[in-house]
Amino acid sequence: MSYSHFTEKERYVISHLRLAKFSLREIARRIGRHHTSISREIKRNGPKYAPDAVYWYYGIQPVVEKRRHKARSHRRQNYQPLVEYVEDRLRMDWPPEVIA
């Protein structure tokens, strides 16, 4: 089964059904997703400091779009032994394919 991101419309439906006190399984059934996907979406993008707060789609969408386009390579760039290894090999004129 392939992975697909939640759409803005799906987040809209999730936020309104959560507000209406529907269960995660019922929300999942209505939008055609697995209930654990709904749970992860709410945990990942829902309110962080107030567990009783409401999951609002319009506040989430800009954050999600920004996160989606953020580079994930920053973790590798912060690992100093790896950075030194790559820099040393580049100074020795190794091709990037061999270093990788």
Side-chain angles (χ1 to χ4, degrees):
M1 184 173 199
S2 66
Y3 172 79
S4 62
H5 294 280
F6 280 96
T7 64
E8 189 172 357
K9 291 178 183 179
E10 288 174 324
R11 288 190 178 95
Y12 176 84
V13 171
I14 291 170
S15 67
H16 282 81
L17 293 178
R18 283 296 287 174
L19 190 60
K21 305 291 185 195
F22 280 83
S23 70
L24 294 178
R25 290 179 187 267
E26 180 60 22
I27 295 170
R29 188 187 66 73
R30 289 182 180 220
I31 65 172
R33 297 284 191 134
H34 198 271
H35 65 92
T36 55
S37 298
I38 306 298
S39 173
R40 282 193 306 267
E41 170 65 18
I42 293 170
K43 286 180 185 176
R44 182 180 299 124
N45 296 318
K48 303 282 187 241
Y49 303 108
D52 298 336
V54 180
Y55 170 90
W56 287 111
Y57 74 96
Y58 60 82
I60 296 165
Q61 195 62 30
V63 174
V64 169
E65 290 297 325
K66 184 177 178 184
R67 186 186 309 139
R68 184 177 296 167
H69 298 291
K70 183 178 177 184
R72 293 178 185 92
S73 64
H74 67 278
R75 292 183 211 125
R76 290 188 298 264
Q77 294 171 354
N78 290 337
Y79 185 61
Q80 197 57 36
L82 178 61
V83 171
E84 291 172 2
Y85 175 83
V86 172
E87 288 175 349
D88 290 342
R89 298 315 181 264
L90 288 173
R91 284 190 201 102
M92 294 167 40
D93 291 327
W94 283 28
E97 296 81 17
V98 174
I99 296 172

